[in-house]
Amino acid sequence: MTVINFQSLGDERGQLVSLESNKNVPFDVKRAYYIHDVKSDKPRGFHAHKELLQVAVCITGKCRMILDNGFEKVDHELDSSTKGVLIDRMVWHEMHDFTDDCVLLVLASDYYDESDYIRDYNEFLEVVANDS
Ligand code: T46
């Protein structure tokens, strides 16, 4: 699992974090979206992407992200606006236990494309097994 530490540029007015393609975000960013007004008992995700690369950061609040490459599962708490996690291609991911105030910002390497999603866990495991 890759955690990216973002520098926070602070002064007496507060904090500012800058996210830049191919600098602290390891790809060309084509899309950004954010998930908010979430519920702690409504997990999200449950898919892998065939090609997409993403970086996710909780800019407010917290959630738990499970990252599963088919061989190893990591359960990681996203609890800082200065720490992002890389969601690599072909990694099954689930987001759980959102706090009420959670805003999850995601930067993505490509435009939205439903055909890039694998939303069936058994299909994901088959693809991973065939690729290895
Ligand atoms: C991911 C995790 C971290 C769009 O129309 N455009 C978009 O850019 C996105 C991301 C979603 N959508 C539509 C597709 C669905 O009708 O928004 C709806 C909710 O998407 P989904 O159920 O896939 O949401 P999550 O939270 O389960 O997953 C999202 C991203 O879709 C996914 O790529 O990696 O966040």
Side-chain angles (χ1 to χ4, degrees), residues 46-50 67-73 88-93 117-131:
F46 296 87
H47 57 254
H49 287 284
K50 295 174 194 165
L67 297 163
D68 171 0
N69 64 9
F71 301 98
E72 191 186 23
K73 265 188 205 181
D88 215 335
R89 55 175 68 87
M90 289 309 294
V91 171
W92 185 266
H93 50 287
Y117 286 67
I118 300 177
R119 292 189 183 269
D120 180 274
Y121 189 65
N122 289 327
E123 182 189 344
F124 162 72
L125 290 179
E126 271 174 35
V127 175
V128 167
N130 288 337
D131 285 354

Side-chain angles (χ1 to χ4, degrees), residues 31-80:
R31 176 167 55 108
Y33 58 92
Y34 49 93
I35 293 169
H36 64 107
D37 282 328
V38 281
K39 307 243 176 329
S40 60
D41 62 346
K42 299 279 184 227
R44 305 183 65 112
F46 296 87
H47 57 254
H49 287 284
K50 295 174 194 165
E51 297 297 337
L52 193 71
L53 301 174
Q54 301 188 100
V55 166
V57 52
C58 274
I59 53 174
T60 303
K62 295 181 194 179
C63 72
R64 203 159 58 75
M65 189 173 283
I66 294 175
L67 297 163
D68 171 0
N69 64 9
F71 301 98
E72 191 186 23
K73 265 188 205 181
V74 178
D75 194 329
H76 179 71
E77 189 166 51
L78 284 172
D79 60 356
S80 167

Side-chain angles (χ1 to χ4, degrees), residues 23-35:
K23 291 192 174 174
N24 54 2
V25 177
F27 49 78
D28 271 330
V29 177
K30 284 202 179 153
R31 176 167 55 108
Y33 58 92
Y34 49 93
I35 293 169

